[in-house]
Amino acid sequence: MTEAESITAWRSRAILRLSEARRDGRDDDARQLTDELREVHVALGERRTGTTEEQRTYLLARSTRTPLPELAAVGIDTNRWPEPPHSSPARSEPVPASPDTEQRLTRIFQSAGPLGDRRATRPRYEARYRPQDGHRFQGALLPWAIWDTDLDIPVAYHGDKDLAEYQAESASQRFREKRGPD
């Protein structure tokens, strides 16, 4: 197999040669081709050869214990081959950080302050679809509630989603202006 050719193209030719060797009774050639197929696919599973797509396809087939159809057609069960590693061989063991790096990171985190100080800003009021509340005006259902998120209660109801959203946003903005930032 050459570096420039894909595993898929090489495998197709190797399978043809394997079929011919078996048909012609050349058991040594068939065994050698089977060994080559195994070696290349082991390297593929270790991400040492092939394209990313070929690696993904092979690793997915192995993880689901599904033999590759091309190989299964000639009687090769890939599930009998060595398992691919569960992590990429290119990854190495983590290297401990130097004391200088540790100090810099510690200073960065100290300057950021505790996480508990950061509250997600959310609007005081929001529109929620709540037809289950059953509020009506002159017989018409008012399914949209303007919801007070701090008190967790509805404060008004509307029949129109856009109007409810507009009023919730306006009320939240006025509340922020009056009360100031948290």
Side-chain angles (χ1 to χ4, degrees), residues 29-167:
D29 289 346
R31 201 171 7 267
Q32 181 182 353
L33 284 166
T34 302
D35 289 344
E36 281 181 41
L37 281 163
R38 183 179 41 76
E39 288 172 19
V40 168
H41 283 83
V42 166
L44 187 64
E46 294 173 350
R47 298 181 186 272
R48 289 184 287 130
T49 189
T51 65
T52 304
E53 186 61 33
E54 289 170 328
Q55 292 168 357
R56 248 188 252 123
T57 301
Y58 178 70
L59 290 170
L60 178 63
R62 288 305 307 267
S63 69
T64 58
R65 307 221 18 96
T66 306
L68 294 174
E70 305 89 3
L71 296 171
V74 290
I76 297 175
D77 182 5
T78 55
N79 289 322
R80 295 183 182 187
W81 290 349
E83 285 288 322
H86 294 288
S87 64
S88 172
R91 295 183 187 140
S92 61
E93 291 298 315
V95 178
S98 70
D100 182 49
T101 302
E102 284 182 18
Q103 287 174 350
R104 276 190 266 149
L105 287 173
T106 301
R107 274 186 294 221
I108 290 170
F109 282 109
Q110 285 173 342
S111 69
L115 292 176
D117 290 353
R118 308 287 190 262
R119 269 190 257 155
T121 56
R122 63 178 180 159
R124 172 68 187 252
Y125 301 99
E126 64 185 20
R128 291 188 183 177
Y129 185 67
R130 298 193 45 92
Q132 68 271 23
D133 292 350
H135 281 267
R136 297 181 176 278
F137 179 71
Q138 295 179 344
L141 181 64
L142 303 174
W144 290 96
I146 296 182
W147 197 268
D148 184 325
T149 58
D150 282 358
L151 300 176
D152 201 30
I153 59 170
V155 293
Y157 288 89
H158 291 281
D160 182 66
K161 175 185 178 189
D162 292 333
L163 178 60
E165 288 176 346
Y166 170 76
Q167 288 190 342

